[in-house]
Amino acid sequence: MVDLVSQYEHIQEEIDAAMLNVVRSAAYIRGAELSAFEEELASYLGVEHVISCGNGTDALQIALMALGLNAGDEIITTSFTFIATVEVISLLGLTPVMVDVEPGTFNIDPSKIEEAITEKTKVILPVHLYGQCADLDKIMDIAERHNLYVIEDTAQAISADYTFADGSTKKAGTIGNIGCTSFFPSKNLGCFGDGGAMFTNDDDLASQMRMIANHGMKVRYYHEVIGVNSRLDNLQAAVLRIKLQRLDDYREARNTVATHYDAAFDGVSQLETPERNLNSTHAFHQYTLKCKGIERNALRDYLAEHEIPSMIYYPVPLHQQKAFEVTGKEQKSLPVTEELSEQVISLPIHTEMDDEQLERITTCVLDFINSQ
Ligand SMILES: *Cc1c(COP(=O)(O)O)cnc(C)c1O
């Protein structure tokens, strides 16, 4: 699905030198590389604070912990996402309230949010799925009117730009109170292991999150709150500093692949190409088709027989997972989410794809369609 070896080979000299530099310095934790990376990412995003942590799941957990919520408080989010989004809500004794998504963009349907709000609702947690922002104009408006926090799960959408109705543009993850991302290797800004970060323009939330990520202490061995141990190390920061310089180029490369797929599948009635939210650019973490009137799993098997990888993100919506059988709140059925989980298929997309590979993939998909 991604080619991390080729990507590394293109920047190998720079990466090797930077990593060796960290190894020789023996500053592995909380060193200059880390501070430099946090500052450079903050400047790229146009946000006041970047607080790094151990992974994207921790980022979401620390963000929720920083809001001072009470057990049973409700968090409105979606079911059509990676488990991490909802897992941390339950883990903290909060109550996930999963609402349906839009069939075109796969993102939270703003028209379903208000009917889910109760006096216990404290947070709206949109996921910018596959690399494209949810409808933040509407989400921010609802949040303001109901006095709710917004935490953006931007693990798949770092580098995407959102343009508001008033014409102003901001980076994904810098619009709500807190944005959370992941530097998992296959993410759009990936390191060589685990990593994550929170973004915010709020000084108090920033210092709270820094404290929570560091065992609840500001001054060493004086613990103000129960925190966690979650940090990005300097080797990862050194890698990320180099990749951050290329993040926009990487996004362009992914968009070129998406445009090629769009053109190849244009007019094929059995495949629906991904709809664009006109207010958001797309980081194309995934290129995801919807299958109409063909067996999605048969297409997947056919591709596998021809050694073409594909993935289903996600085959079982979270509200139907065994782990969420007891969420503390009766979960309504989510017809759009349930249908999508049977229709979607994601094709390989990464920064190193060439025309020959693309041709082979699209030809194979179209061969399957024509054989039906
Ligand atoms: C990857 C991902 C996460 C979790 O990130 P990790 O670094 O793997 O913990 C959370 N939410 C979404 C939408 C993701 O894709």
Side-chain angles (χ1 to χ4, degrees):
M1 294 296 285
V2 291
D3 182 358
L4 296 174
V5 174
S6 303
Q7 192 189 63
Y8 163 64
E9 283 169 358
H10 279 129
I11 50 174
Q12 182 172 1
E13 248 173 70
E14 230 180 307
I15 294 263
D16 290 1
M19 290 185 82
L20 202 56
N21 190 33
V22 174
V23 171
R24 287 188 172 135
S25 77
Y28 304 133
I29 299 287
R30 292 190 200 295
E33 289 289 337
L34 186 70
S35 319
F37 170 63
E38 288 184 347
E39 274 168 35
E40 286 161 10
L41 183 56
S43 145
Y44 171 84
L45 293 168
V47 72
E48 287 294 320
H49 306 278
V50 167
I51 299 115
S52 56
C53 67
N55 55 67
T57 310
D58 280 3
L60 289 159
Q61 178 176 335
I62 294 163
L64 285 167
M65 287 171 79
L67 300 180
L69 305 176
N70 296 311
D73 283 348
E74 293 175 8
I75 317 294
I76 295 177
T77 188
T78 76
S79 171
F80 199 55
T81 175
F82 180 55
I83 179 90
T85 318
V86 181
E87 182 178 52
V88 294
I89 297 172
S90 295
L91 202 60
L92 293 172
L94 305 166
T95 304
V97 177
M98 296 174 256
V99 303
D100 222 342
V101 294
E102 299 174 325
T105 65
F106 314 103
N107 281 326
I108 192 165
D109 184 342
S111 73
K112 304 279 163 58
I113 293 176
E114 278 193 286
E115 63 200 40
I117 294 176
T118 72
E119 72 260 14
K120 287 191 169 170
T121 307
K122 295 288 157 57
V123 181
I124 307 174
L125 204 171
V127 181
H128 304 321
L129 202 71
Y130 304 148
Q132 171 172 251
C133 291
D135 189 342
L136 287 163
D137 257 311
K138 292 200 184 116
I139 293 166
M140 295 307 292
D141 175 60
I142 295 167
E144 228 158 85
R145 281 190 286 108
H146 295 269
N147 200 22
L148 306 174
Y149 290 106
V150 173
I151 297 180
E152 295 170 73
D153 182 343
T154 190
Q156 301 190 1
I158 194 161
S159 87
D161 294 298
Y162 187 84
T163 301
F164 286 87
D166 69 6
S168 62
T169 295
K170 287 183 180 169
K171 288 275 178 211
T174 69
I175 293 159
N177 301 86
I178 303 172
C180 298
T181 204
S182 164
F183 304 124
F184 186 79
S186 63
K187 297 283 156 88
N188 288 27
L189 179 59
C191 62
F192 291 175
D194 275 309
M198 294 78 73
F199 322 135
T200 187
N201 285 308
D202 183 314
D203 296 346
D204 293 334
L205 284 178
S207 87
Q208 197 70 13
M209 288 192 287
R210 256 193 212 289
M211 177 169 75
I212 291 167
N214 188 25
H215 295 293
M217 67 185 175
K218 283 180 186 152
V219 178
R220 196 176 246 184
Y221 306 131
Y222 291 81
H223 306 274
E224 296 180 31
V225 296
I226 299 294
V228 296
N229 172 28
S230 185
R231 54 200 171 205
L232 187 72
D233 64 63
N234 282 301
L235 275 171
Q236 304 304 344
V239 171
L240 288 166
R241 288 184 72 191
I242 292 164
K243 289 212 196 177
L244 176 60
Q245 292 168 24
R246 291 163 176 82
L247 185 56
D248 285 346
D249 293 341
Y250 289 161
R251 187 184 67 188
E252 285 323 302
R254 286 173 177 275
N255 270 274
T256 303
V257 173
T259 306
H260 187 112
Y261 279 144
D262 277 352
F265 304 134
D266 183 36
V268 178
S269 65
Q270 297 93 331
L271 298 173
E272 208 174 294
T273 56
E275 185 181 306
R276 310 297 201 272
N277 172 353
L278 296 178
N279 291 327
S280 176
T281 61
H282 208 313
F284 275 108
H285 178 59
Q286 300 299 343
Y287 184 89
T288 304
L289 293 164
K290 277 193 279 179
C291 297
K292 296 277 169 90
I294 47 167
E295 260 298 317
R296 186 262 318 266
N297 293 341
L299 169 58
R300 192 161 184 232
D301 292 344
Y302 185 84
L303 291 172
E305 279 162 28
H306 294 80
E307 294 179 329
I308 293 172
S310 62
M311 287 293 283
I312 310 303
Y313 304 110
Y314 297 90
V316 182
L318 296 185
H319 69 285
Q320 295 180 329
Q321 297 279 356
K322 185 164 183 286
F324 291 115
E325 269 169 14
V326 185
T327 63
K329 181 149 175 139
E330 198 195 336
Q331 179 63 49
K332 289 200 196 108
S333 74
L334 303 172
V336 177
T337 298
E338 286 158 31
E339 187 174 37
L340 285 176
S341 68
E342 287 170 8
Q343 291 177 331
V344 291
I345 183 164
S346 299
L347 298 179
I349 188 165
H350 56 81
T351 57
E352 316 299 318
M353 280 175 92
D354 59 36
D355 286 351
E356 204 178 305
Q357 287 171 318
L358 275 165
E359 245 2 272
R360 214 167 75 74
I361 296 166
T362 54
T363 303
C364 194
V365 171
L366 293 172
D367 283 350
F368 173 80
I369 303 276
N370 293 330
S371 74
Q372 295 298 292

